[in-house]
Structures are given as structure tokens and as C-alpha cells.
Amino acid sequence: MHRRLPRSRAVLAGILIASAALGLAACSGTGGTAATTAPASATTAPSAQQLPPIMADLKTVDGTTVSVPLDNVIVLTGDTADFTHWTAKIEDPNVVSFTPGKDDGSAQFNPGLSPITTGTTKVTLDNSASGAHVAFTVEVTPKK
């Protein structure tokens, strides 16, 4: 006499058998896991990749417009002597914020601007050590 399993047990038994078969198939093969393991680049979403910062040279940025996506930053370069002495006046502080340059003894960090929201604002930079003055516009665009 042949007994029938209740439907839920039959489905569960089928799932267990299929899982075991897949497990064995994943273990078999010729020479390793290359065929079953996706490369790291394939599993990384494009939006998770870090964008390179927007570089703005303090010697040439005066009078220009610098565009920066909302998910990026502007690094102010070109002043290796007095980079810690820059201050900023931002016309609309809701659009970008200023980070001063610093030297912590083990590394030097250029001053920069970080987007807060999309929009446009004028930025004026002054260097108390060199007397340099730079004014330009920053346009914050949506994320890329």
C-alpha cells in the first residue's frame, strides 16, 4: 500500500531535494569557484562608486563658475604655502559649506567646498597670510 504525503509536506520535500541538488551542482565543477562567484565589480552598484573630487585651482578659478554634483566636493588646490589661511564668504550658505585647509602633522588637507543642496551661489575666498583674494560662482547640480 502506498501512502500519499499531505500537499504541504510534498512541496517541502521537493524544495529540500532541489536545494540539495543545487548545492551539489555548486560544489561540482572543474577547478574552483570562478564559474559560480561573481566578480566584485559586478556586485557593486554604479551609484555606490566614489566619484573623484572636482579640483579648482586657486590661481585660475577667479571669475569662473565651478559645477559640482550634489554627491561630490570641490577641492581648492594650488596653494602649497598658505593653504591653511583661506577663509570663505558664501553668499548663500544653504548651497555649499566651506572646509578650511589644515595640517595635522601627518597629512595636509586642502580647503574645500561641500554641496548642501542644488543651486548657485557666489563664493569669495581670502587668504590672511598671502593677501590673495578669489571670487567665483559655484553651481551645485543634481547627483550623477
Side-chain angles (χ1 to χ4, degrees), residues 51-109:
L51 297 172
I54 305 299
M55 306 302 250
D57 191 327
L58 289 162
K59 297 173 186 163
T60 60
V61 75
D62 192 44
T64 67
T65 297
V66 179
S67 292
V68 60
L70 190 56
D71 56 349
N72 208 331
V73 296
I74 299 171
V75 176
L76 301 165
T77 63
D79 182 353
T80 57
D82 299 316
F83 63 95
T84 62
H85 297 279
W86 288 97
T87 58
K89 179 181 176 196
I90 300 170
E91 188 175 88
D92 186 350
N94 294 314
V95 176
V96 294
S97 65
F98 177 72
T99 303
K102 70 177 184 174
D103 185 342
D104 70 4
S106 64
Q108 296 178 337
F109 301 90

